Amino acid sequence: MLDLIIVGAGPAGLSAGLYATRGGLKNVIMFELGEPGGQITSSSEIENYPGQKNPGESGYDFMSTWLAQCSKFGLANKWGMVESIKQNQDGTFSVKVADDKTYESKAVIVCTGSVPRRAGFVGEDKFFGRGISTCATCDGFFYKNKEVAVLGGGDTAIEEAIYLANIVSKVYLIHRREGFRAAPTTLENARKNPKIEFITSATIKEAYGDESGLLGVKINTKDGERDLPVPGIFTFVGLDVRNEILKQEDGSFLCEMCANGQVKVDLKMRTNIPGLFAAGDLRQDAPKQVISAAADGAVAALSAIGYLENSH
């Protein structure tokens, strides 16, 4: 029987692992499918984490040192896909992993985060991975000295447009509104960039192409339909939380959920199920910032320690 299982190795999961093991828990396993670091590793730039030694570094570089530090006090990192979490009659939890192995634990912290949301325009699925991407850091190089489009109006969209402008010949920034949610300083930097053209009050009608991949997009603007013959478009229209592992066999969720799919928690990251905690983008009202996710993980770990101490 493990003391604690952490699902997810982004900032929340790693921070939870650090605080749990440094706080005295001996049998702690963290599961992650893929390389630790989470969604932020796809970001081209981070400059708002307090104490950062290299402001402006990529998300991948920023997260590269976290696992070593967070494993220092005994956190075990296992690569595997968690399929489900169930509560046993005695209040402990059964965590099933894709290899059909089940782990028993006294407490669980779920930090599964979120994934980029699809925009929903015609042709998006057909050309996803063949000209349509959600990661400028991953795919921007393929469009060196070419024109591309970016869809979105938040911080990520504006930051990635600026990043792409260093690689491509031009960036068309498409946003459905006139106003933007992005930070004013980030937006100002984008407006000053001569390679970025803002197309506001506009939506993508259709992506088109052939067997070779994307050839362009048709957009609806306030002045009528416009054709952008671009071989690449990067979409940043929000995130969907990854809550699938909390679903039970009857279709219900293990704990109370919000209407948008996030997990209901209190200020200590506790769900309504004793011993089950949620942190990071998965929890209700998550601000989707690295510093907030890391703080959530620390709070959840401290709460788990308190729970285990009081449950003896």
Side-chain angles (χ1 to χ4, degrees):
M1 176 71 67
L2 296 167
D3 285 332
L4 176 66
I5 286 178
I6 301 167
V7 185
L14 287 164
S15 179
L18 172 62
Y19 272 74
T21 52
R22 191 172 184 271
L25 298 187
K26 301 299 182 184
N27 300 310
V28 181
I29 291 180
M30 178 178 66
F31 286 99
E32 173 62 49
L33 182 66
E35 190 168 357
Q39 189 72 223
I40 195 62
T41 56
S42 296
S43 178
S44 60
E45 182 180 63
I46 297 178
E47 60 180 9
N48 60 354
Y49 197 94
Q52 230 180 312
K53 187 176 181 180
N54 301 305
E57 65 190 324
S58 71
Y60 180 85
D61 289 339
F62 176 70
M63 295 302 303
S64 64
T65 60
W66 283 46
L67 179 61
Q69 179 190 7
C70 296
S71 301
K72 182 179 179 180
F73 300 98
L75 174 66
N77 177 41
K78 288 185 178 291
W79 288 33
M81 177 183 289
V82 173
E83 294 185 339
S84 65
I85 302 172
K86 297 180 180 179
Q87 188 175 37
N88 304 316
Q89 290 186 343
D90 62 358
T92 61
F93 298 89
S94 294
V95 177
K96 183 181 178 183
V97 185
D99 60 4
D100 287 331
K101 188 171 184 179
T102 299
Y103 294 79
E104 306 293 325
S105 181
K106 298 174 184 176
V108 176
I109 302 176
V110 186
C111 311
T112 44
S114 55
V115 293
R117 183 178 301 154
R118 294 294 177 94
F121 53 82
V122 175
E124 182 179 20
D125 291 339
K126 180 179 181 180
F127 294 105
F128 195 86
R130 299 194 304 126
I132 297 177
S133 172
T134 57
C135 180
T137 311
C138 311
D139 301 326
F141 177 78
F142 298 116
Y143 304 99
K144 187 175 182 180
N145 298 325
K146 298 178 181 179
E147 294 187 352
V148 299
V150 168
L151 177 67
D155 283 314
T156 301
I158 307 303
E159 289 168 0
E160 300 304 86
I162 294 172
Y163 170 80
L164 287 165
N166 294 319
I167 301 171
V168 304
S169 62
K170 186 168 185 175
V171 178
Y172 296 97
L173 183 59
I174 306 167
H175 183 42
R176 59 180 177 172
R177 301 188 182 95
E178 290 293 328
F180 289 82
R181 303 185 308 277
T185 54
T186 304
L187 187 59
E188 182 181 0
N189 289 336
R191 290 194 183 280
K192 289 180 179 178
N193 194 311
K195 285 188 176 182
I196 300 176
E197 178 183 331
F198 283 73
I199 306 176
T200 56
S201 297
T203 57
I204 294 180
K205 177 182 178 182
E206 178 185 2
Y208 62 88
D210 57 22
E211 293 304 315
S212 66
L214 183 75
L215 294 177
V217 290
K218 295 178 181 179
I219 60 175
N220 291 320
T221 75
K222 54 190 174 184
D223 299 318
E225 186 175 301
R226 179 176 175 182
D227 181 75
L228 295 179
V230 293
I233 178 168
F234 296 82
T235 60
F236 305 103
V237 292
L239 302 168
D240 288 322
V241 293
R242 300 174 61 190
N243 59 18
E244 298 86 358
I245 64 171
L246 292 171
K247 281 189 176 180
Q248 306 299 285
E249 292 180 357
D250 62 0
S252 65
F253 284 95
L254 176 58
C255 57
E256 288 186 4
M257 309 290 287
C258 300
N260 63 0
Q262 292 178 320
V263 178
K264 287 186 177 182
V265 295
D266 62 14
L267 292 177
K268 293 187 177 182
M269 302 300 136
R270 298 179 297 195
T271 70
N272 67 311
I273 303 297
L276 179 67
F277 307 84
D281 286 4
L282 180 65
R283 61 95 167 169
Q284 68 183 91
D285 299 324
K288 296 181 172 59
Q289 298 293 317
V290 177
I291 190 170
S292 303
D296 282 359
V299 171
L302 294 173
S303 296
I305 292 172
Y307 167 77
L308 293 171
E309 289 176 346
N310 294 326
S311 60
H312 289 316

